[in-house]
Amino acid sequence: MTRHPFLLVAASVVATLAIVHTAGCGATRSARSLAADKVYVAPGELDKYYGFLSGGQSGSVFVVGIPSGRLIREIPVFEQRAAYGYAMHDADARRQELLATGGAWGDTHHPVLSETDGMPNGKYLWINDLANGRLARIRLDYFETDRIVKIPNLQGAHGIAVVSPNTKYIVVNGEFEQPTDGLVTNPAPYTSVVAFVDPDSMTVKFEVRVNGNIDIADTSKDGRYSFSTIYNLEQGKNMGAMIQYDRDAVAAIDIPAAEAAVGAGKGAVRNGVPILDPAENPGVMTLIPVPKNPHGINVTPDGRYAIASGKLSPTVTIIDAHTLKIVAEPEVGLGPLHTTFDDRGNAFTSLFLDSQVVKWNIDKAVKGAPDYIVDRINVHYNIGHLQAVGGDHTHPSGDFLLALNKLSKDQYVPVGPDLPENQEIIDISGEKMKMLASFPTPPEPHDATFMAVAALKPLVHQTFTPAADAVQAGQEKIVRTGPHAVSVDMTLIRSAYTPETVEVKEGDQVTLKITNVETIRDMIHGFALPDHNLNIALAPGYTKTMTFEAGKPGVYWFYCTNFCSALHLEMRGRLIVQPKDSTVTITDWHAAANVKGVVPGVPSTGDKQ
Ligand code: K7E
Ligand code: CUA
Ligand code: CA
């Protein structure tokens, strides 16, 4: 049977009218629906990617689901955080590291993932602290910070990068130049260093001296070179002096050549680290001149090119990552800061001044074809970094790009003078970019990196394997270890503390070792003690030890801060602080239960999930 063409046309017109009628403003509504569909993750479904965003001055890492943009958790790194029981107490190894390396605050900029064959392997995430010259490592099996180190001979740890393809080092750029010998009596121009950190031991293996500030880092995909942008080749000490030259540079450090020089004893050792001076070690470093005050440097997924973004120049400089020759310098727009990539030979550069992402074709730009600009999209507003999923690895996924915008202005309801930062999710799967959604975060993500949920999820533990010294159920105890010292071994399980009564004297040093003996996931318990500046959270299997001084005489209820069961509110116990001169004998905690009445049939502790 053949249909009359007119009927088909008429039918489709009717259908279109029907859509317009129900939707009110048809075109806008359907474009919105299409965009919403791409980022909608239904309740109970999982995102496709983990997004790791630096927390900037929050000192942390934000874990965001992509494409939904949902903030899934925050990983505290350079700040103490009671909510996660992180670095809260003096006996905590992380707190000790923080205080020993520069303080309990930081400014995180660049999250980088450990790699195998150029792709993230889900083992570690590193993040820098620009302010205090530190590098931290996060274990991705537990999403927990496990090391924090101070980088010697360097101030302002800014750009970092993993040496591809197999994580030989973490490169850390020193941004704030220093007297070359580290002495304030040296009037010579200040210099800085690029540090090469061993990923396992987190020790600095060697450093390479560079004149001027060193900004952003990336590495070639074959392990040969690290690339760092230098915006102050002038070695100026104020802004005016830093913008004198027409060209600054990209420093390409030949890693095997540097290793050979260090092996031959060429580095002058300072603070335990050999520092190579390129002037005395030809071949270790090549300076590639690029326009005035460059910012980002990004190596293409295929490893062919390193692309430096011009910042004060409307260009990007395309450098052959093997020969180190400049092959093209195309104009892309105003204020280019960073570049990322899809899986089809396109680059995307953030334009801070234009508040745009520009998409351009790498091959066409290299060949000098006039039509290398593919598309532009407005972002809101003043974009810093941008990262396409996998754009910093060898196999970009080519689907989503995250724009990390510095200003959100009118994008959200006003919340006082301090507005949230604004991230935008852009669909890059087609020729034209499409804006899909935006989401706010606390200040201030600088950069992001991604890993497929399918690859990382199987590697993530949801309970801790108890440490060798964990408190076992049945082994809890209170021991007076000295005239003014008491140690308590405590366990937590729904929904009780054992022991639930602890008697001490005013001024006692109380060392509390506490293990959450739960074995099921998502069963966190807290331990908050009023008036003692004490609050921690413990995930299943976790043990924490803290020492505190018992305060004024009184009864202090410690209680669970994480809602854990129907008897969560009942999950509490007493710290009884007796006066120093009390003649009352410290009773065995078993005898101190002080139950007024027991209702038959009601379990006194715990409940089943
Ligand atoms: Cu451009 Cu620290 Cu990566 Cu911020 S840096 S934007
Ligand atoms: Cu344990 Cu609430
Ligand atoms: Ca300059």
Side-chain angles (χ1 to χ4, degrees):
M1 189 183 114
T2 56
R3 289 190 183 178
H4 196 288
F6 172 76
L7 284 180
L8 276 179
V9 172
S12 76
V13 167
V14 170
T16 308
L17 286 174
I19 289 167
V20 169
H21 183 73
T22 50
C25 48
T28 314
R29 182 68 161 268
S30 67
R32 282 183 168 218
S33 305
L34 285 173
D37 254 9
K38 294 234 175 191
V39 296
Y40 181 66
V41 178
E45 289 179 3
L46 301 183
D47 277 288
K48 196 170 175 196
Y49 303 106
Y50 285 94
F52 298 97
L53 281 59
S54 59
Q57 57 271 43
S58 292
S60 57
V61 171
F62 302 139
V63 182
V64 167
I66 299 292
S68 73
R70 298 178 295 194
L71 177 61
I72 296 170
R73 81 158 283 187
E74 193 174 355
I75 308 171
V77 185
F78 296 107
E79 285 193 339
Q80 64 175 48
R81 199 68 57 87
Y84 295 112
Y86 177 79
M88 291 298 295
H89 300 290
D90 291 344
D92 186 314
R94 290 295 82 71
R95 184 173 187 81
Q96 290 170 354
E97 279 181 334
L98 277 178
L99 298 181
T101 55
W105 67 281
D107 182 14
T108 64
H109 279 228
H110 299 110
V112 296
L113 291 160
S114 54
E115 295 178 9
T116 300
D117 297 331
M119 289 298 283
N121 59 21
K123 197 168 177 202
Y124 294 124
L125 178 85
W126 285 274
I127 186 95
N128 66 310
D129 168 20
L130 196 162
N132 302 298
R134 295 183 286 190
L135 181 69
R137 185 174 72 185
I138 293 164
R139 290 177 61 150
L140 289 178
D141 48 359
Y142 292 106
F143 278 55
E144 192 178 64
T145 304
D146 87 323
R147 288 299 305 278
I148 294 165
V149 296
K150 177 101 177 159
I151 310 291
N153 312 321
L154 164 160
Q155 196 174 91
H158 194 185
I160 70 169
V162 158
V163 173
S164 290
N166 293 314
T167 323
K168 184 152 194 199
Y169 302 104
I170 320 305
V171 178
V172 182
N173 285 349
E175 182 161 21
F176 302 152
E177 65 279 27
Q178 292 289 304
T180 296
D181 53 9
L183 302 174
V184 287
T185 48
N186 183 353
Y190 295 178
T191 61
S192 192
V193 297
V194 178
F196 291 80
V197 182
D198 180 83
D200 296 313
S201 67
M202 291 287 282
T203 54
V204 181
K205 291 296 174 189
F206 61 92
E207 294 176 338
V208 177
R209 182 168 305 293
V210 181
N211 294 342
N213 308 55
I214 328 171
D215 199 4
I216 305 297
D218 202 358
T219 72
S220 62
K221 299 295 187 195
D222 56 1
R224 177 78 188 270
Y225 294 109
S226 74
F227 299 103
S228 303
T229 47
I230 303 171
Y231 63 82
N232 183 19
L233 208 57
E234 300 91 339
Q235 295 176 281
K237 296 192 183 65
N238 59 44
M239 191 261 281
M242 293 179 192
I243 56 174
Q244 295 303 308
Y245 295 173
D246 282 341
R247 289 181 100 86
D248 287 282
V250 167
I253 293 170
D254 185 328
I255 296 169
E259 287 171 330
V262 171
K266 299 285 178 56
V269 176
R270 179 140 64 92
N271 295 315
V273 177
I275 306 177
L276 288 174
D277 186 342
E280 292 160 13
N281 294 279
V284 166
M285 186 174 83
T286 305
L287 286 184
I288 304 155
V290 300
K292 211 177 182 80
N293 293 50
H295 186 56
I297 179 89
N298 300 91
V299 174
T300 54
D302 61 8
R304 285 186 69 184
Y305 304 113
I307 295 170
S309 300
K311 193 167 80 181
L312 299 190
S313 158
T315 54
V316 288
T317 303
I318 306 175
I319 299 160
D320 185 307
H322 301 291
T323 65
L324 307 185
K325 298 274 181 289
I326 293 172
V327 295
E329 206 157 76
E331 277 199 27
V332 290
L334 294 181
L337 289 188
H338 299 278
T339 299
T340 187
F341 309 98
D342 69 9
D343 54 342
R344 300 181 298 282
N346 297 300
F348 301 80
T349 299
S350 57
L351 301 173
F352 180 83
L353 296 176
D354 279 339
S355 283
Q356 280 186 338
V357 172
V358 56
K359 174 180 178 180
W360 51 279
N361 183 278
I362 301 167
D363 271 348
K364 285 186 177 176
V366 168
K367 289 186 185 120
D371 59 343
Y372 60 94
I373 300 285
V374 181
D375 191 23
R376 293 176 189 276
I377 192 167
N378 292 331
V379 295
H380 310 87
Y381 300 89
N382 298 89
I383 180 173
H385 273 268
L386 77 181
Q387 195 64 262
V389 176
D392 48 346
H393 297 112
T394 48
H395 295 91
S397 63
D399 46 5
F400 300 108
L401 180 147
L402 193 66
L404 297 109
N405 308 315
K406 294 301 180 189
L407 303 177
S408 63
K409 295 183 191 176
D410 52 7
Q411 296 291 294
Y412 306 112
V413 291
V415 285
D418 199 345
L419 302 178
E421 261 59 35
N422 181 23
Q423 278 65 235
E424 291 179 308
I425 303 172
I426 297 170
D427 177 3
I428 55 165
S429 61
E431 183 82 347
K432 291 238 165 247
M433 293 177 277
K434 290 195 197 84
M435 183 62 71
L436 298 179
S438 79
F439 63 91
T441 57
E444 170 192 335
H446 283 257
D447 195 4
T449 189
F450 305 92
M451 190 164 171
V453 168
L456 181 52
K457 180 170 167 276
L459 307 177
V460 178
H461 294 269
Q462 297 198 293
T463 60
F464 283 91
T465 305
D469 67 341
V471 184
Q472 315 272 335
Q475 308 288 306
E476 303 89 348
K477 57 181 189 267
I478 304 174
V479 178
R480 180 157 284 280
T481 53
H484 306 291
V486 175
S487 86
V488 181
D489 285 4
M490 181 181 276
T491 61
L492 311 181
I493 194 163
R494 278 158 294 153
S495 281
Y497 297 93
T498 308
E500 61 185 12
T501 309
V502 176
E503 273 192 69
V504 297
K505 288 193 174 183
E506 181 182 8
D508 276 349
Q509 292 294 310
V510 182
T511 300
L512 177 62
K513 187 204 275 187
I514 184 167
T515 300
N516 179 349
V517 293
E518 299 280 2
T519 53
I520 62 159
R521 68 178 183 175
D522 205 10
M523 195 48 69
I524 316 292
H525 296 292
F527 180 97
L529 181 65
D531 302 327
H532 283 78
N533 189 28
L534 203 66
N535 177 31
I536 59 168
L538 292 106
Y542 211 84
T543 299
K544 285 202 171 155
T545 303
M546 61 213 131
T547 299
F548 63 95
E549 187 179 310
K552 285 191 297 208
V555 172
Y556 300 91
W557 288 96
F558 48 86
Y559 73 100
C560 178
T561 42
N562 281 61
F563 213 105
C564 51
S565 76
L567 289 173
H568 157 75
L569 290 174
E570 287 80 355
M571 186 170 177
R572 54 198 176 102
R574 285 171 301 154
L575 174 76
I576 298 172
V577 180
Q578 298 206 350
K580 272 191 184 125
D581 56 358
S582 171
T583 54
V584 178
T585 317
I586 304 274
T587 49
D588 172 30
W589 61 270
H590 285 290
N594 190 24
V595 177
K596 190 175 180 191
V598 176
V599 182
V602 177
S604 60
T605 59
D607 61 332
K608 300 274 182 285
Q609 177 165 287

